[in-house]
Amino acid sequence: FIWYGTSQAFDSLTLTFRETEWGVFCAHHYRYSPSMSTFLVEVTDETWRRAGFDTLDPAATIARCEQAFAKDLDGHPILSNHSHWRQFPAVWNERWSFDNVVLLGDALRTAHFSIGSGTRLAMEDAIALDAALAEAGEDVARALDLFESRRRPIVEKIVAAANQSSYWYERMAEKLDLAPW
C-alpha cells in the first residue's frame, strides 16, 4: 500500500476497486478537511510487480495511480508527502509492559487500516491506562495488570477482525467476480 492525499473531497469513507491491465487496485479514501482527502492505494504483490511499481519513480507511480482512479479523482491530483510503497506491518506483543514502560497503539499491536481503528485503539489504550493508574494509585504493577486485563479481550477481538480484513485484501482480485450476497 501507499498512503497519499488528494484535493478531491470525498463525502465519506469509501472503498473503490478498479480493474486495470496490471490487476486490481483498491483505494481507501475519505475526507479529513473541507478540501482534502486521504487516498490510500492498495494492491497485491503480483499487481504491484506487473504495474512496475518496483522500478517507477515517485512521479510515475502517482501518474499510474491517477490513471487507475481517473474516474474517481475527477481531475484532482494525487498528492505525496514522501509516500512510499510498503507492506502492512503486522505487530503483536504478548508482553504489554516491562517495569514501568508500557506499549500503546501501533507500538503494541497494529490493526489493518481497512477497519479504521489504529488511532482509536491508541487513544482507548491511553484512556484505559490512565483509568488503571488512577484506580491503582501508587501500585504501578497493579495498574499495569488492570490495564492489560481490561484491554486485552477488546483488543484481541479488533485485531482478529483486522487480520481477517487484511487477509481478504491480499486476495481481493479473487473476490471481484463474486455475487454481492
Side-chain angles (χ1 to χ4, degrees), residues 27 43 45 55 68 74 76 78 82 98 101 115 122 127 133 137 147 151 174:
V43 297
D45 292 340
T55 59
D74 194 29
H76 291 265
I78 287 178
H82 305 289
F98 178 76
V101 176
I115 69 165
I127 291 165
L133 288 165
F147 164 66
R151 284 292 292 155
E174 301 166 12

Side-chain angles (χ1 to χ4, degrees), residues 88-96 102-113 115 117-129 147-148 150-160 162-163:
F88 184 79
V91 174
W92 179 263
N93 287 283
E94 283 300 318
R95 297 206 45 203
W96 290 31
V102 182
L103 297 173
L104 302 175
D106 285 352
L108 176 58
R109 64 29 216 122
T110 52
H112 191 260
F113 48 79
I115 69 165
S117 291
T119 302
R120 179 178 63 106
L121 282 172
M123 295 302 292
E124 289 174 350
D125 285 349
I127 291 165
L129 178 59
F147 164 66
E148 184 173 343
R150 292 174 180 164
R151 284 292 292 155
R152 187 180 280 270
I154 296 163
V155 167
E156 285 177 344
K157 279 184 180 179
I158 293 170
V159 169
N163 288 343

Side-chain angles (χ1 to χ4, degrees), residues 6-7 19 34 48 63 66 74 77-78 87 94 102 120 122 159 167:
T6 181
S7 57
E19 293 189 65
W48 184 80
E66 286 174 339
D74 194 29
I78 287 178
Q87 297 280 343
E94 283 300 318
V102 182
R120 179 178 63 106
V159 169
Y167 181 75

